[in-house]
């Protein structure tokens, strides 16, 4: 994944990720949990396994055939607005995804810079909206720790509650239109368009549909703001991200030759595809 300048908006490109395997276990019902799998269900599963094995291998059933009979197992993911206690992990997810090659101490400086920006809140022009969406692993929402700032006896003492290990992905959406072409000879800011940026999913949480969930929630948010359309920039070399956005209804928009449309500034030689879609009314 490629990134932008520290603290700024990054393109909506997603990092490429390799597929990961998993081990499946089939367990019978036990006296401690008789309702987990009924006896009839076990017998039916055995019959299906037997028939599959007979057709494929003359009586031998492989694990790949057994897995097809089981549902995919993954943590419950909830998408919501970022909270104060999420700020450090949002900063860590952002920097780890967009600046993976940075080493200590620069990586720590980047995280602190992003963290302070989040704590300071989003400053937007009047009439504009902006929010950071997070995909949270609901199995880890209570995994938090406190950071004390200052002397507990002072009036300025502050305690920050930070989440740890619960943020699976992030996305920023706004109507500020910093990366949209201005309108008319007066270069007026465009309205009614929601812009997506900073889409990042932690490496260990990829290939679970989290980015798709974030984009869908961003679309719902754009609809609630009264936006007519959505826009984003995607690295032309990030095939996986391009495929995701096209499946979500985004279309590549051809920039007129010679036009100087604004786009994220990250690294020399990076080219973007400008994409848009109409926001459905329902």
């Amino acid at each position: 994944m490629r990134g932008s300048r520290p603290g700024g908006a990054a393109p909506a490109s997603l990092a490429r990720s390799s597929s990961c395997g998993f081990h499946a276990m089939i367990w019978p019902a036990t006296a401690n949990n008789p309702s987990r799998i009924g006896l009839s269900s076990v017998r039916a599963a055995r019959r299906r396994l037997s028939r599959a094995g007979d057709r494929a291998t003359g009586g031998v059933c492989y694990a790949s055939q057994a897995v097809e009979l089981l549902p995919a197992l993954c943590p419950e993911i909830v998408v919501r607005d970022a909270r104060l206690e999420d700020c450090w992990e949002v900063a860590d997810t952002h920097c780890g995804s967009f600046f993976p090659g940075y080493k200590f101490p620069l990586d720590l400086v980047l995280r602190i810079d992003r963290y302070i920006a989040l704590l300071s809140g989003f400053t937007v022009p009047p009439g504009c909206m902006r929010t950071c969406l997070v995909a949270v692993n609901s199995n880890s929402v209570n995994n938090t720790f406190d950071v004390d700032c200052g002397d507990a006896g002072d009036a300025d003492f502050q305690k920050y509650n930070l989440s740890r290990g619960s943020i699976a992905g992030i996305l920023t959406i706004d109507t500020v239109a910093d990366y949209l072409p201005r309108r008319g000879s007066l270069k007026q800011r465009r309205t009614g368009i929601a812009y997506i940026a900073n889409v990042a999913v932690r490496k260990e949480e990829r290939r679970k549909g989290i980015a798709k969930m974030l984009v869908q929630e961003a679309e719902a948010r754009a609809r609630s703001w009264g936006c007519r359309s959505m826009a984003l920039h995607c690295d032309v070399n990030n095939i996986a991200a391009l495929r995701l956005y096209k499946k979500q209804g985004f279309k590549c928009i051809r920039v007129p030759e010679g036009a100087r449309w604004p786009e994220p500034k990250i690294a020399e030689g990076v080219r973007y595809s400008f994409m848009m879609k109409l926001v459905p009314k329902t």
Side-chain angles (χ1 to χ4, degrees):
M1 186 177 293
R2 302 177 184 272
S4 68
R5 61 186 184 279
S13 305
L14 292 169
R16 304 175 184 83
S17 59
S18 59
S19 59
C20 56
F22 67 95
H23 298 284
M25 178 180 295
I26 304 176
W27 57 87
T30 64
N32 294 331
N33 191 6
S35 62
R36 176 177 289 179
I37 302 179
L39 182 59
S40 59
S41 299
V42 173
R43 289 173 176 170
R46 287 175 176 171
R47 287 195 296 269
R48 291 195 295 271
L49 288 170
S50 177
R51 289 196 295 270
D54 290 341
R55 290 195 300 269
T57 61
V60 178
C61 181
Y62 292 103
S64 60
Q65 297 167 346
V67 167
E68 293 178 357
L69 302 177
L70 300 175
L73 303 178
C74 65
E76 292 294 329
I77 301 296
V78 177
V79 178
R80 58 168 172 77
D81 289 289
R83 301 169 183 165
L84 180 63
E85 60 266 26
D86 301 323
C87 286
W88 177 257
E89 204 169 358
V90 169
D92 182 63
T93 302
H94 178 273
C95 296
S97 298
F98 289 103
F99 305 98
Y102 282 48
K103 304 298 182 182
F104 182 83
L106 185 55
D107 61 339
L108 178 60
V109 173
L110 287 174
R111 282 162 172 78
I112 294 175
D113 176 80
R114 183 65 175 173
Y115 176 63
I116 294 175
L118 289 168
L119 286 180
S120 301
F122 294 115
T123 57
V124 296
C128 296
M129 304 291 292
R130 176 181 287 159
T131 189
C132 177
L133 300 175
V134 294
V136 181
N137 184 338
S138 60
N139 295 331
S140 305
V141 292
N142 294 322
N143 190 9
T144 62
F145 63 97
D146 295 330
V147 175
D148 298 340
C149 298
D151 189 342
D154 295 339
D156 295 333
F157 172 76
Q158 296 184 19
K159 176 181 286 188
Y160 295 111
N161 182 257
L162 306 178
S163 62
R164 178 176 57 192
S166 62
I167 302 298
I170 61 175
L171 176 150
T172 302
I173 180 170
D174 64 56
T175 60
V176 180
D178 282 338
Y179 296 106
L180 298 177
R182 297 296 174 128
R183 183 177 56 189
S185 58
L186 298 179
K187 304 296 182 181
Q188 294 177 324
R189 188 186 303 272
R190 291 186 180 271
T191 59
I193 304 176
Y195 184 81
I196 290 177
N198 297 325
V199 183
V201 177
R202 286 187 177 273
K203 186 176 181 179
E204 63 272 17
E205 299 287 357
R206 291 170 188 167
R207 303 185 68 84
K208 297 180 181 179
I210 294 175
K212 179 181 178 181
M213 295 174 62
L214 287 165
V215 173
Q216 290 176 341
E217 180 59 28
E219 181 177 312
R221 193 60 53 89
R223 185 183 303 112
S224 70
W225 291 344
C227 295
R228 303 182 303 275
S229 58
M230 302 171 62
L232 58 86
H233 284 91
C234 184
D235 186 343
V236 296
N237 294 318
N238 195 332
I239 305 302
L242 288 170
R243 185 183 301 116
L244 167 68
Y245 296 129
K246 289 180 179 179
K247 286 184 178 180
Q248 296 304 305
F250 284 87
K251 305 293 184 182
C252 295
I253 306 299
R254 190 178 72 85
V255 178
E257 186 175 355
R260 295 184 177 181
W261 287 13
E263 63 180 23
K265 304 295 184 183
I266 56 169
E268 197 70 28
V270 177
R271 296 185 300 112
Y272 295 105
S273 176
F274 181 64
M275 308 181 75
M276 294 188 70
K277 71 168 290 186
L278 295 176
V279 176
K281 295 183 179 180
T282 55

